[in-house]
Amino acid sequence: MLKRIVVGVIVFEGRVLIDRRPAGGALGGLWEFPGGKILVGETPEECVRREVQEEVGLDVEVCSELATIEHDYPEFSLLMTAYLCRTESNQAKPLASDEVLWIEPEQLDRYTFPEANRTLLPLIQACLTR
């Protein structure tokens, strides 16, 4: 089964937002970027804005597509598109996760992400680290 999702790599004052998946669910306890499944009739950009609002309570501006990653997990295949996003607020709340953090891009390697998300880390670091 192929899951098509989008995620927002949200930047505020040079820091990136990550959130930790709830412990009891799929890939529980791992860190990720807010996002989810595209609804029927929804553009990927609309989905990023909706999912970020639902998951962390932030309004974001979708700036550009960062990458599309294909990854096969044992239970499903994933097609994930990541978008760089800006926000005017750092007041993220863990509405659908256990915790949210704003971190420097070079700190991303210190956190445990699902395999598909890990592919994004060097791209984010190259894009945001000067």
Side-chain angles (χ1 to χ4, degrees), residues 11-27:
V11 180
F12 179 81
E13 295 182 352
R15 293 177 176 250
V16 177
L17 180 70
I18 60 173
D19 63 306
R20 191 172 59 210
R21 297 177 67 89
L27 305 173

Side-chain angles (χ1 to χ4, degrees), residues 28 61 64 68 79 86-87 92 119 123 129:
E61 175 189 351
S64 62
T68 297
L79 183 63
R86 273 195 298 240
T87 184
T119 307
L123 301 172
T129 305

Side-chain angles (χ1 to χ4, degrees), residues 8 10 15-19 32-34 56 58 92 100-103:
I10 305 163
R15 293 177 176 250
V16 177
L17 180 70
I18 60 173
D19 63 306
E32 66 177 1
F33 304 100
V56 296
L58 291 177
V100 295
L101 291 175
W102 290 99
I103 63 171

